[in-house]
Coordinates of all heavy atoms in Angstrom, one line a residue:
C1 N 21.9 -9.6 -14.9 CA 22.5 -9.7 -13.6 C 21.7 -10.9 -12.9 O 20.6 -11.2 -13.2 CB 22.4 -8.4 -12.8 SG 20.8 -7.9 -12.3
T2 N 22.4 -11.4 -11.9 CA 21.9 -12.6 -11.2 C 20.9 -12.2 -10.1 O 20.1 -13.1 -9.7 CB 23.0 -13.4 -10.6 OG1 23.8 -12.5 -9.7 CG2 23.9 -14.0 -11.6
C3 N 20.9 -11.0 -9.6 CA 20.0 -10.7 -8.5 C 18.6 -10.2 -8.9 O 17.7 -10.2 -8.1 CB 20.6 -9.6 -7.6 SG 20.9 -8.0 -8.4
W4 N 18.4 -9.9 -10.2 CA 17.1 -9.4 -10.6 C 16.9 -9.5 -12.1 O 17.8 -9.2 -12.9 CB 16.9 -7.9 -10.2 CG 15.5 -7.4 -10.3 CD1 15.1 -6.4 -11.1 CD2 14.4 -7.8 -9.5 NE1 13.7 -6.2 -10.9 CE2 13.3 -7.0 -9.9 CE3 14.2 -8.7 -8.5 CZ2 12.1 -7.1 -9.3 CZ3 13.0 -8.8 -7.9 CH2 11.9 -8.0 -8.3
T5 N 15.8 -10.0 -12.5 CA 15.5 -10.2 -14.0 C 14.2 -9.6 -14.3 O 13.2 -9.6 -13.6 CB 15.5 -11.7 -14.4 OG1 14.5 -12.4 -13.6 CG2 16.9 -12.3 -14.1
K6 N 14.1 -9.0 -15.5 CA 12.9 -8.5 -16.2 C 13.2 -8.6 -17.7 O 14.3 -8.8 -18.1 CB 12.7 -7.1 -15.8 CG 12.0 -6.9 -14.4 CD 11.5 -5.5 -14.3 CE 10.7 -5.3 -13.1 NZ 10.3 -4.0 -12.8
D7 N 12.1 -8.4 -18.4 CA 12.2 -8.5 -19.9 C 13.1 -7.4 -20.4 O 13.9 -7.7 -21.4 CB 10.8 -8.4 -20.5 CG 10.0 -9.6 -20.2 OD1 10.5 -10.7 -19.9 OD2 8.7 -9.5 -20.2
E8 N 13.0 -6.2 -19.9 CA 13.8 -5.1 -20.4 C 15.0 -4.8 -19.5 O 14.8 -4.5 -18.3 CB 12.9 -3.9 -20.5 CG 11.8 -4.0 -21.6 CD 12.4 -4.1 -23.0 OE1 13.4 -3.4 -23.3 OE2 11.8 -4.8 -23.8
P9 N 16.2 -4.8 -20.0 CA 17.4 -4.5 -19.2 C 17.3 -3.1 -18.6 O 17.8 -2.9 -17.4 CB 18.6 -4.6 -20.2 CG 18.1 -5.4 -21.3 CD 16.6 -5.2 -21.4
M10 N 16.7 -2.1 -19.2 CA 16.7 -0.8 -18.6 C 15.7 -0.8 -17.4 O 16.0 -0.1 -16.5 CB 16.2 0.2 -19.7 CG 17.2 0.6 -20.7 SD 18.8 1.2 -20.0 CE 18.3 2.7 -19.2
D11 N 14.7 -1.7 -17.4 CA 13.9 -1.8 -16.2 C 14.6 -2.4 -15.1 O 14.5 -2.0 -13.9 CB 12.6 -2.7 -16.5 CG 11.7 -2.0 -17.5 OD1 11.7 -0.8 -17.7 OD2 10.8 -2.8 -18.1
V12 N 15.5 -3.3 -15.3 CA 16.3 -3.9 -14.3 C 17.2 -2.9 -13.7 O 17.3 -2.7 -12.5 CB 17.2 -5.1 -14.8 CG1 18.1 -5.6 -13.8 CG2 16.3 -6.2 -15.3
M13 N 17.9 -2.1 -14.6 CA 18.8 -1.1 -14.1 C 18.1 0.0 -13.3 O 18.6 0.4 -12.2 CB 19.5 -0.4 -15.3 CG 20.6 0.5 -14.9 SD 22.0 -0.2 -14.0 CE 23.0 -0.8 -15.4
T14 N 16.9 0.4 -13.7 CA 16.1 1.4 -13.0 C 15.8 0.9 -11.6 O 15.9 1.6 -10.6 CB 14.8 1.7 -13.8 OG1 15.2 2.3 -15.1 CG2 14.0 2.7 -13.1
D15 N 15.3 -0.4 -11.6 CA 14.9 -1.0 -10.3 C 16.1 -1.0 -9.3 O 16.0 -0.7 -8.1 CB 14.4 -2.4 -10.5 CG 13.0 -2.5 -11.1 OD1 12.4 -1.4 -11.2 OD2 12.7 -3.6 -11.6
L16 N 17.3 -1.4 -9.8 CA 18.5 -1.5 -9.0 C 18.9 -0.1 -8.5 O 19.2 0.0 -7.3 CB 19.6 -2.1 -9.8 CG 19.5 -3.6 -10.2 CD1 20.6 -4.0 -11.2 CD2 19.5 -4.5 -8.9
L17 N 18.9 0.9 -9.4 CA 19.4 2.2 -8.9 C 18.4 2.8 -7.9 O 18.8 3.5 -7.0 CB 19.5 3.1 -10.2 CG 20.7 2.7 -11.1 CD1 20.7 3.5 -12.4 CD2 22.0 2.8 -10.4
Q18 N 17.1 2.6 -8.1 CA 16.1 3.1 -7.2 C 16.3 2.4 -5.8 O 16.2 3.0 -4.8 CB 14.7 2.9 -7.7 CG 14.4 3.8 -8.9 CD 13.0 3.5 -9.5 OE1 12.4 2.5 -9.2 NE2 12.6 4.4 -10.3
A19 N 16.5 1.1 -5.9 CA 16.7 0.3 -4.6 C 17.9 0.8 -3.8 O 17.8 0.8 -2.6 CB 16.8 -1.2 -5.0
I20 N 18.9 1.2 -4.5 CA 20.1 1.7 -3.8 C 19.7 2.9 -3.0 O 20.1 3.1 -1.8 CB 21.3 2.0 -4.8 CG1 21.8 0.7 -5.3 CG2 22.3 2.9 -4.1 CD1 22.8 0.9 -6.5
E21 N 18.9 3.8 -3.6 CA 18.5 5.0 -2.9 C 17.7 4.7 -1.6 O 17.9 5.3 -0.6 CB 17.8 6.0 -3.8 CG 18.7 6.6 -4.9 CD 19.8 7.4 -4.3 OE1 19.5 8.2 -3.4 OE2 20.9 7.2 -4.7
V22 N 16.7 3.8 -1.8 CA 15.9 3.4 -0.7 C 16.7 2.7 0.4 O 16.5 2.9 1.6 CB 14.7 2.5 -1.2 CG1 13.9 2.0 0.0 CG2 13.8 3.4 -2.1
R23 N 17.6 1.8 -0.1 CA 18.5 1.1 0.9 C 19.3 2.0 1.7 O 19.5 1.8 2.9 CB 19.3 0.1 0.1 CG 20.2 -0.8 1.1 CD 19.3 -1.6 2.0 NE 20.0 -2.0 3.1 CZ 19.8 -3.3 3.6 NH1 19.0 -4.1 3.1 NH2 20.5 -3.6 4.7
R24 N 19.8 3.1 1.1 CA 20.6 4.1 1.9 C 19.7 4.6 3.1 O 20.2 4.8 4.2 CB 21.0 5.3 1.0 CG 22.2 5.0 0.2 CD 22.7 6.2 -0.5 NE 23.9 5.9 -1.3 CZ 23.9 6.0 -2.6 NH1 22.9 6.5 -3.3 NH2 25.0 5.6 -3.3
A25 N 18.5 4.9 2.8 CA 17.6 5.4 3.8 C 17.4 4.4 4.9 O 17.4 4.7 6.1 CB 16.3 5.9 3.2
L26 N 17.2 3.1 4.5 CA 17.0 2.0 5.4 C 18.2 1.9 6.3 O 18.1 1.7 7.6 CB 16.8 0.7 4.7 CG 15.5 0.6 4.0 CD1 15.4 -0.8 3.3 CD2 14.3 0.7 4.9
D27 N 19.4 2.0 5.7 CA 20.6 1.9 6.5 C 20.8 3.0 7.5 O 21.5 2.9 8.5 CB 21.9 1.8 5.6 CG 21.9 0.5 4.8 OD1 21.2 -0.4 5.2 OD2 22.8 0.4 3.9
Q28 N 20.1 4.1 7.3 CA 20.2 5.3 8.2 C 19.0 5.2 9.3 O 18.8 6.1 10.0 CB 20.1 6.6 7.5 CG 21.3 6.8 6.6 CD 21.2 8.1 5.8 OE1 20.1 8.7 5.7 NE2 22.2 8.4 5.1
G29 N 18.3 4.0 9.3 CA 17.3 3.8 10.3 C 15.9 4.2 9.9 O 15.0 4.1 10.7
E30 N 15.7 4.6 8.7 CA 14.3 5.0 8.3 C 13.5 3.7 8.0 O 14.0 2.8 7.4 CB 14.4 5.8 7.0 CG 13.3 6.7 6.7 CD 13.6 7.7 5.6 OE1 14.6 8.3 5.6 OE2 12.7 7.9 4.8

């Protein structure tokens, strides 16, 4: 993907999925 790179594709996917959860909290004002 163009937004994030790492050596291992599973690491990229993990980072993206975790960031979605944190971003949801940020969008709720946390």
Side-chain angles (χ1 to χ4, degrees):
C1 71
T2 54
C3 65
W4 195 243
T5 59
K6 279 191 171 177
D7 292 335
E8 292 295 323
M10 287 306 296
D11 290 342
V12 174
M13 187 64 85
T14 298
D15 291 345
L16 292 170
L17 294 172
Q18 290 175 349
I20 289 170
E21 291 301 311
V22 172
R23 183 60 199 221
R24 280 192 181 115
L26 293 178
D27 289 350
Q28 293 175 353
E30 204 168 314

